[in-house]
Amino acid sequence: MTTTSEYHVYTAQSRPDLWPDWDNESHPFCSIWPKFFEGDLTDKFYLSKTRNYDELRKFQFFIVRQSPTEPEILVAFAQSIPFFWPELEAIGGRTGLSSHPEVLQSLPDGGYDTILSRGVEQCHARQGLPPLAAPFTDDQARDCTRKCNNRPNALSALSLAVLPEWRSKGLAEMMLGCMKAAARETGLEVLVVPLRPTRKVDFPNVNIADYMFWTKGFGPAQGPVGPILSGDRERVVNGKPCLPFDPWLRKHVSLGGKVVKVARKSMAVEGDMNHFIDLNFIDDVAYTYI
């Protein structure tokens, strides 16, 4: 448990009572996630299972605000999952990344869905049990490591949410710090984050491979997107690389993360035509590693 004067961090192992009731639509965390998450079959099937295993519960985090005069309040919630990454093991772990950076490209193109299913299925295999489900996506079907029972060597963030009224208080940084600490304490060598850039939805017609290298101060407000932003990915000011334009990417990079690749099939969402018309979204995910 991590403690500040006002906020306390617990895991699902130490405080299982804090786990949000996702079936209760009035629960404040239920309204945070985009509606299209409801159509992701992988998310529906696997995410709740991170509470079923001791080795996974310690990677699920809660921040509670505690006061002597008021009831405790759950203000932030984050989930992550350990997984075995064979390509990382093949180069000798994290130390091998400096000479073999191409290994980062071996992270699955299926992003969130594939990492989530891999982590849970591998955990299940370590219990000596058969697979929980057939692959939900083509990328999961290609993931030959999802049935491995090897000891995990990496940690992936899955989600992080802070209630709106408690944002800008450093709680997201606290959660990411907890993930990094948990990875170190359990011998996991790398933390990866398949994340949704929060402002990408404002620029649906911009390729995410270009968007994720937009830099702060060189956003579209200064002129036509293409001419202004082309070639900015290596921009340096005062000897330091510019931080990303996107706030959520910027947060991770400022904490030591590095943008690695695009996972264009990170979430496979199913629904009828009206479902997608109502959502009106074009969404991609970028990987970072820390």
Side-chain angles (χ1 to χ4, degrees):
M1 182 186 78
T2 301
T3 303
T4 68
S5 58
E6 187 174 10
Y7 301 104
H8 298 256
V9 180
Y10 299 96
T11 68
Q13 192 173 50
S14 61
R15 287 287 305 273
D17 59 298
L18 292 173
W19 197 278
D21 180 5
W22 299 119
D23 295 325
N24 178 4
E25 293 186 359
S26 65
H27 194 286
F29 278 97
C30 289
S31 61
I32 283 182
W33 307 114
K35 289 289 289 181
F36 70 81
F37 275 33
E38 297 174 4
D40 185 343
L41 298 181
T42 300
D43 180 81
K44 273 187 174 182
F45 183 82
Y46 284 111
L47 191 61
S48 63
K49 290 177 172 52
T50 56
R51 68 190 297 180
N52 294 348
Y53 305 93
D54 281 339
E55 70 171 276
L56 300 185
R57 280 194 285 266
K58 60 189 174 186
F59 295 102
Q60 321 310 317
F61 304 97
F62 312 103
I63 295 183
V64 173
R65 180 183 181 272
Q66 295 179 333
S67 165
T69 59
E70 299 174 2
E72 67 177 14
I73 305 172
L74 177 62
V75 297
F77 175 54
Q79 293 189 256
S80 57
I81 194 161
F83 67 100
F84 174 62
W85 186 0
E87 293 85 357
L88 182 66
E89 182 181 66
I91 61 169
R94 185 184 182 94
T95 56
L97 287 174
S98 58
S99 54
H100 296 281
E102 71 279 1
V103 165
L104 295 170
Q105 301 303 311
S106 68
L107 286 165
D109 293 332
Y112 173 87
D113 279 356
T114 302
I115 288 285
L116 172 58
S117 64
R118 179 190 291 192
V120 176
E121 288 288 1
Q122 287 179 345
C123 177
H124 201 64
R126 286 191 290 275
Q127 318 300 316
L129 300 171
L132 285 163
F136 286 100
T137 67
D138 290 343
D139 194 68
Q140 290 172 37
R142 289 190 293 269
D143 184 17
C144 59
T145 66
R146 71 195 302 266
K147 298 179 182 179
C148 290
N149 60 5
N150 302 63
R151 182 184 180 279
N153 58 357
L155 182 68
S156 176
L158 295 174
S159 63
L160 195 162
V162 180
L163 292 180
E165 60 269 34
W166 299 99
R167 292 173 185 169
S168 301
K169 298 180 184 296
L171 301 185
E173 291 90 337
M174 188 183 298
M175 283 293 202
L176 289 167
C178 287
M179 291 183 193
K180 292 169 71 172
R184 285 193 297 267
E185 290 167 5
T186 53
L188 303 176
E189 300 190 63
V190 173
L191 171 63
V192 301
V193 186
L195 62 84
R196 294 176 56 248
T198 51
R199 288 204 58 194
K200 176 62 175 70
V201 69
D202 297 333
F203 309 98
N205 297 318
V206 175
N207 191 317
I208 192 173
D210 297 323
Y211 174 83
M212 68 183 187
F213 289 107
W214 288 6
T215 52
K216 188 179 180 183
F218 289 82
Q222 298 193 25
V225 170
I228 290 291
L229 296 169
S230 60
D232 277 343
R233 67 178 61 192
E234 302 297 336
R235 189 175 181 84
V236 174
V237 174
N238 296 327
K240 296 181 179 180
C242 286
L243 290 173
F245 165 79
D246 185 86
W248 197 219
L249 276 175
R250 186 163 66 244
K251 177 77 70 179
H252 288 75
V253 171
S254 68
L255 293 172
K258 177 182 178 181
V259 181
V260 173
K261 65 179 288 187
V262 175
R264 294 191 182 276
K265 299 181 179 180
S266 190
M267 300 188 77
V269 178
E270 294 190 2
D272 59 26
M273 184 60 69
N274 290 330
H275 177 75
F276 287 98
I277 291 173
D278 290 342
L279 292 177
N280 189 28
F281 77 92
I282 299 175
D283 220 48
D284 290 297
V285 164
Y287 272 112
T288 63
Y289 92 93
I290 299 176

